[in-house]
């Protein structure tokens, strides 16, 4: 079932009042209570757990996600995130003490996390529950009021969030706005204390321009072409399993999926054979019949992906069914790094393999392009591993695995350069939605007059030794 949002003028007209309403309740101090925040997080966890099957159904309708994939990458991921946040929120909220220099003694210095205010979170369609609620969890924990705007492309998931969140959370402090471009445009005309956006570069530029009008800070979680370097000195069987899992989960519609592989010429055939075996082991000879293989979100993205195959050397897959939005797992081997498929983020089930003369060329190739959101390296060569880690820049790195860094709430997640700015997850997400207010408290005792006029050479000489 495919649904579409129609422009609702009443929703657009209500947006300024919704923002004003949230500001009023933030000013009341309601969200500053840690106990209150804990209750809201517990309610969010309860919402996910009590409506698990409904989330599974929505994700299946939007993206043909299997129940296990929906659990591990969306619902279960979020439940785990909430548990981690609940475990640490009181510690994160405590004053953070730092040393006080001798010349300011007696005294103490610390920073105190305080909520930013009313924030806007704009989600993405490829993981429509996770990428909407993960930053929302951080915003709640930090004590903010928030408007969340789910992606209109994953309409079943967005509709479910709009229905359930008011049933479980405080509507004086949290609101869901559904809709498409018009609603998002209206939201961006309002002033927020922070805007958090997950999506593509084009929209990110629009958001930054709108935020600049109000001097609003932004967190941008984007994407780009995430490279995968495969050294012939690797465990090929495990490498193939992990690449196939991370590439074709959600039919490749993942911002941190490997976009292309750099591999030495003599190892290409072995790698392709290993990948083919794993694809068919995971999804069968015909992935269309697999309950575990996803579908493309809509026909616009389906047609975009189809264009990437034109004139390419497809060595595996390439089967499509536009009516069913089915695009098979596909492997291309190409010598042309200037082709269309290598100029844009693929964001789909096409994997490009680029042969290189030697593995050191991989570092050069990556560094000649925009900094990616993720970089993957498969090798047993420690020296080469060190070389890649020290010589390349990316938002995140996976060594001998794909995407697993997402499962560690202690690791910040975010991009660099064209792949984004800012980060979140765990304490980092709490800090993203907080202002760390610096405080120095001093005693009235021992008020040494060295800093006060009138000045003289003796005072200056003493200060030179103290500072």
């Amino acid at each position: 079932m495919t649904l579409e949002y129609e422009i609702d003028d009443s929703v657009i007209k209500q947006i300024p009042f919704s923002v004003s309403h949230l500001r009023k309740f933030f000013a009341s101090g309601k969200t500053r209570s840690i106990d209150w925040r804990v209750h809201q997080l517990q309610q969010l966890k309860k919402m996910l757990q009590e409506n698990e099957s409904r989330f599974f159904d929505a994700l299946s309708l939007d993206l043909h996600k299997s129940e296990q994939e929906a659990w591990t990458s969306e619902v279960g991921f979020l439940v785990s995130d909430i548990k981690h946040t609940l475990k640490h929120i009181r510690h994160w909220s405590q004053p953070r003490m730092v040393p006080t220099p001798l010349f300011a003694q007696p005294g103490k210095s610390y920073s105190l996390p305080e909520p930013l205010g009313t924030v806007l979170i704009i989600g993405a369609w490829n993981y429509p529950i996770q990428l909407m609620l993960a930053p929302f969890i951080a915003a709640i924990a930090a004590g903010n009021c928030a408007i969340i705007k789910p992606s209109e492309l994953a309409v079943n998931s967005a509709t479910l969030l709009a229905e359930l969140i008011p049933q479980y959370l405080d509507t004086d402090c949290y609101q869901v706005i559904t809709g498409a471009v018009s609603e998002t445009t209206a939201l961006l005309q309002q002033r927020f204390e922070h805007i958090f956006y997950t999506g593509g570069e084009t929209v990110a530029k629009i958001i930054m321009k709108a935020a600049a009008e109000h001097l609003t800070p932004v967190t941008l979680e984007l994407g780009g072409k995430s490279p995968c370097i495969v050294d012939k000195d690797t465990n090929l069987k495990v490498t193939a399993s992990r690449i196939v899992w991370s590439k074709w989960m959600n039919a490749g519609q993942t911002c941190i999926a490997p976009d292309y592989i750099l591999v030495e010429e003599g190892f290409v055939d072995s790698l392709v054979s290993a990948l083919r075996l794993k694809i068919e082991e995971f999804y069968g000879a015909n992935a269309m019949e697999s309950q575990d293989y996803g579908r493309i979100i809509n026909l616009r993205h389906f047609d975009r992906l189809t264009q990437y195959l034109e004139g390419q050397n497809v060595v595996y897959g390439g089967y499509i069914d536009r009516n069913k939005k089915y695009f098979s797992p596909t492997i291309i081997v190409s010598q042309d790094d200037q082709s269309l498929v290598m100029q844009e983020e693929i964001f789909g089930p096409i994997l490009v393999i680029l042969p290189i003369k030697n593995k050191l060329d991989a570092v050069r190739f990556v560094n000649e392009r925009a900094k990616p959101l993720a970089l993957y390296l498969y090798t047993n060569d420690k020296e080469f591993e060190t070389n890649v880690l020290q010589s390349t820049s990316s938002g995140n790195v996976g060594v001998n695995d794909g995407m697993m860094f997402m499962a560690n709430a202690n690791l910040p997640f975010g991009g660099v350069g064209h792949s984004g700015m800012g980060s979140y997850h765990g304490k980092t997400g709490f800090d993203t939605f907080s202002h760390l207010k610096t405080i120095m408290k001093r005693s009235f005792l021992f008020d040494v007059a060295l800093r006060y006029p009138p000045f003289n050479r003796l005072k200056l000489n003493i200060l030179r030794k103290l500072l």
Side-chain angles (χ1 to χ4, degrees):
M1 179 174 62
T2 301
L3 304 174
E4 292 184 359
Y5 285 111
E6 295 181 358
I7 296 175
D8 188 341
D9 288 338
S10 65
V11 172
I12 294 173
K13 291 178 181 178
Q14 184 62 34
I15 284 174
F17 299 99
S18 296
V19 176
S20 177
H21 182 82
L22 296 186
R23 286 191 178 284
K24 173 185 174 182
F25 278 89
F26 178 77
S28 74
K30 188 175 188 178
T31 66
R32 291 184 178 271
S33 165
I34 303 300
D35 289 337
W36 183 88
R37 300 182 208 177
V38 166
H39 177 67
Q40 297 302 306
L41 290 168
Q42 289 171 336
Q43 284 294 105
L44 189 61
K45 178 162 69 76
K46 184 179 179 182
M47 181 192 82
L48 290 164
Q49 293 174 328
E50 290 185 347
N51 297 277
E52 180 180 288
S53 62
R54 297 189 67 189
F55 282 111
F56 291 166
D57 290 343
L59 291 165
S60 178
L61 288 168
D62 286 331
L63 289 152
H64 198 260
K65 289 197 180 189
S66 68
E67 183 174 308
Q68 181 165 328
E69 185 174 317
W71 167 253
T72 55
S73 67
E74 305 250 20
V75 178
F77 179 96
L78 291 165
V79 170
S80 177
D81 192 10
I82 294 172
K83 289 178 178 178
H84 179 82
T85 302
L86 288 170
K87 181 179 179 180
H88 297 284
I89 184 173
R90 296 186 189 279
H91 175 67
W92 295 341
S93 304
Q94 292 297 309
R96 304 177 188 182
M97 307 303 296
V98 297
T100 300
L102 179 62
F103 63 80
Q105 297 288 355
K108 64 178 180 178
S109 304
Y110 60 97
S111 59
L112 183 66
E114 64 177 11
L116 295 173
T118 299
V119 302
L120 172 63
I121 304 172
I122 303 174
W125 56 261
N126 56 325
Y127 291 84
I129 309 299
Q130 183 215 129
L131 296 179
M132 185 75 269
L133 296 187
F136 186 44
I137 290 166
I140 294 172
N144 298 281
C145 290
I147 286 181
I148 67 173
K149 166 61 179 66
S151 171
E152 69 277 11
L153 299 187
V155 66
N156 295 283
S157 298
T159 301
L160 186 58
L161 287 172
E163 174 194 338
L164 294 178
I165 284 179
Q167 296 177 19
Y168 287 83
L169 273 69
D170 191 332
T171 55
D172 286 332
C173 300
Y174 310 117
Q175 294 190 15
V176 183
I177 302 293
T178 57
V181 175
S182 297
E183 289 79 5
T184 304
T185 301
L187 283 168
L188 291 173
Q189 291 171 354
Q190 307 302 308
R191 181 176 68 84
F192 294 93
E193 276 63 58
H194 197 91
I195 298 175
F196 190 108
Y197 168 71
T198 304
E201 183 179 329
T202 300
V203 176
K205 292 177 180 178
I206 295 171
I207 289 172
M208 282 197 73
K209 288 179 181 178
E213 292 297 316
H214 302 287
L215 296 178
T216 299
V218 297
T219 298
L220 304 177
E221 298 298 344
L222 308 179
K225 298 187 73 64
S226 295
C228 179
I229 302 170
V230 177
D231 183 8
K232 62 184 178 182
D233 181 12
T234 189
N235 183 318
L236 183 56
K237 184 177 180 180
V238 176
T239 294
S241 294
R242 293 175 178 179
I243 290 175
V244 170
W245 173 78
S246 58
K247 174 60 186 181
W248 283 286
M249 175 186 286
N250 198 27
Q253 298 167 114
T254 305
C255 59
I256 54 171
D259 197 273
Y260 63 93
I261 296 178
L262 298 167
V263 60
E264 291 179 78
E265 293 171 334
F267 199 54
V268 170
D269 290 343
S270 298
L271 177 61
V272 170
S273 296
L275 293 173
R276 291 174 59 136
L277 287 173
K278 286 300 174 182
I279 291 171
E280 295 185 4
E281 180 182 326
F282 292 174
Y283 302 114
N286 181 3
M288 184 184 288
E289 298 174 356
S290 172
Q291 294 300 310
D292 300 321
Y293 186 72
R295 298 294 183 270
I296 307 306
I297 185 68
N298 59 26
L299 292 178
R300 178 171 64 86
H301 281 282
F302 185 92
D303 293 338
R304 174 185 62 83
L305 290 165
T306 302
Q307 289 181 339
Y308 291 152
L309 299 184
E310 295 178 4
Q312 294 296 325
N313 177 28
V314 177
V315 297
Y316 183 80
Y319 306 111
I320 60 176
D321 187 328
R322 192 172 187 272
N323 291 330
K324 297 180 179 179
K325 293 182 289 188
Y326 168 77
F327 202 115
S328 71
T330 299
I331 301 174
I332 291 171
V333 175
S334 175
Q335 299 281 355
D336 183 8
D337 62 359
Q338 299 301 312
S339 62
L340 180 62
V341 74
M342 282 303 296
Q343 297 308 304
E344 302 173 357
E345 181 180 5
I346 294 173
F347 217 69
I350 303 170
L351 180 63
V352 180
I353 295 180
L354 290 169
I356 54 177
K357 293 188 180 301
N358 63 74
K359 61 188 181 183
L360 295 181
D361 284 344
V363 174
R364 173 193 55 78
F365 190 94
V366 170
N367 287 337
E368 287 175 350
R369 286 153 180 82
K371 295 178 180 180
L373 181 56
L375 181 148
Y376 301 104
L377 170 65
Y378 291 87
T379 184
N380 281 312
D381 184 338
K382 298 297 183 182
E383 183 178 348
F384 182 51
E385 175 187 330
T386 300
N387 183 10
V388 171
L389 293 178
Q390 293 182 348
S391 302
T392 63
S393 178
S394 60
N396 313 271
V397 179
V399 178
N400 295 335
D401 210 339
M403 305 198 303
M404 282 299 290
F405 48 74
M406 290 289 291
N408 186 350
N410 297 300
L411 285 174
F413 174 77
V416 58
H418 281 76
S419 61
M421 62 179 67
S423 55
Y424 70 122
H425 284 181
K427 180 177 179 293
T428 303
F430 178 91
D431 288 350
T432 290
F433 285 101
S434 300
H435 167 60
L436 295 180
K437 179 167 58 181
T438 58
I439 300 166
M440 179 184 283
K441 181 179 179 180
R442 301 203 61 228
S443 169
F444 287 120
L445 300 175
F446 307 112
D447 190 34
V448 181
L450 288 173
R451 60 174 168 156
Y452 301 136
F455 300 125
N456 56 49
R457 179 61 58 181
L458 176 61
K459 286 184 177 181
L460 179 59
N461 289 338
I462 294 173
L463 287 172
R464 284 181 185 275
K465 294 179 180 179
L466 290 175
L467 294 177

